[in-house]
Amino acid sequence: MAIVNGYLTIEEAVSYVGANETRDTYELEDAVTSVSRMIDRYCGRHFYQATAQTRDFDVDADGYTVTFGPFNDLLSATSVTYDNNDDGIYESTLSASNYQLLAPVQGQAPVTWPYTQLRNVASTLLPSPPTASGRERLIRITGTWGWPAVPVEVKQACRLMVAEMAKLQDAPLGVAGFGEFGVARVSRFMPPRAVQLLQPFRHPGNVGLA
């Protein structure tokens, strides 16, 4: 199984786990993919890019703000349309001159953060629930979602967690061996250092893994 939207290449994983690593590379590919998805769940966002996808959102009650929420970081928008008359058809277009895309204010240069909100700068309010029909998510955005590049902190956390998974595979029932002071057990799967690296990238609305 090939790595799917992983945050390490197989070469990077093999290099970090150990130059003398002899386990099947398919196991490491699975480990990188599963660890990458665990990082996504923990952070409430994905760091790979999903292109030409259409996603629907609610407009905030003020009629001007659209907050994308977890797993909806936006890199660029190709079209923004909305259901203007509550008929289930997104027949109206919000032109690029009538909205502004907003990214979080972060003091973590040189990390480039994606957009997490759209702000309507036109005088016309966007439709927001509740509507007469009960319809929701009346604004539709097509574009590229995710991050411009995987942050180095995310890659390093992925290395640590893949190495931890490799230890678990070699440690039945969590027992890593017998040392001078008795049984030695592997640590909690997400190492504290990985948690520390990922913490700044957790989406504020995330309800994923603790």
Side-chain angles (χ1 to χ4, degrees):
M1 178 180 178
I3 294 174
V4 179
N5 294 324
Y7 301 139
L8 295 176
T9 66
I10 188 61
E11 292 79 14
E12 289 171 328
V14 169
S15 175
Y16 191 80
V17 170
N20 296 322
E21 178 60 49
T22 58
R23 75 178 71 252
D24 196 319
T25 56
Y26 287 113
E27 294 180 8
L28 280 179
E29 289 175 347
D30 287 347
V32 171
T33 298
S34 60
V35 163
S36 298
R37 300 294 75 77
M38 177 175 282
I39 289 172
D40 294 348
R41 293 193 299 274
Y42 179 78
C43 291
R45 55 186 11 133
H46 61 78
F47 299 93
Y48 60 87
Q49 294 185 21
T51 61
Q53 284 196 359
T54 296
R55 303 183 184 184
D56 299 340
F57 300 94
D58 283 328
V59 179
D60 292 353
D62 63 7
Y64 289 100
T65 307
V66 180
T67 301
F68 303 147
F71 298 101
N72 285 299
D73 296 321
L74 178 66
L75 277 177
S76 61
T78 55
S79 71
V80 178
T81 57
Y82 57 96
D83 179 359
N84 193 40
N85 54 8
D86 195 20
D87 62 355
I89 300 173
Y90 298 81
E91 65 278 289
S92 298
T93 298
L94 188 65
S95 65
S97 62
N98 284 331
Y99 68 82
Q100 180 183 14
L101 295 174
L102 303 175
V105 177
Q106 299 288 342
Q108 298 183 33
V111 175
T112 300
W113 287 69
Y115 302 112
T116 56
Q117 284 187 323
L118 179 147
R119 179 71 177 169
N120 172 25
V121 297
S123 58
T124 304
L125 295 178
L126 292 171
S128 59
T131 65
S133 69
R135 288 189 176 89
E136 300 179 341
R137 300 187 178 186
L138 302 178
I139 189 164
R140 173 167 290 175
I141 301 174
T142 301
T144 298
W145 306 85
W147 280 58
V150 181
V152 64
E153 295 91 340
V154 173
K155 289 179 68 70
Q156 181 61 16
C158 191
R159 290 186 184 98
L160 294 171
M161 294 167 67
V162 167
E164 192 76 3
M165 183 172 285
K167 290 180 185 178
L168 288 171
Q169 290 176 337
D170 291 334
L173 303 179
V175 176
F178 295 87
E180 180 181 357
F181 301 103
V183 174
R185 294 185 179 274
V186 295
S187 63
R188 183 171 176 255
F189 179 75
M190 186 175 282
R193 180 58 176 162
V195 172
Q196 184 180 17
L197 288 165
L198 294 174
Q199 189 63 34
F201 299 95
R202 294 197 80 184
H203 194 287
N206 182 45
V207 292
L209 298 179

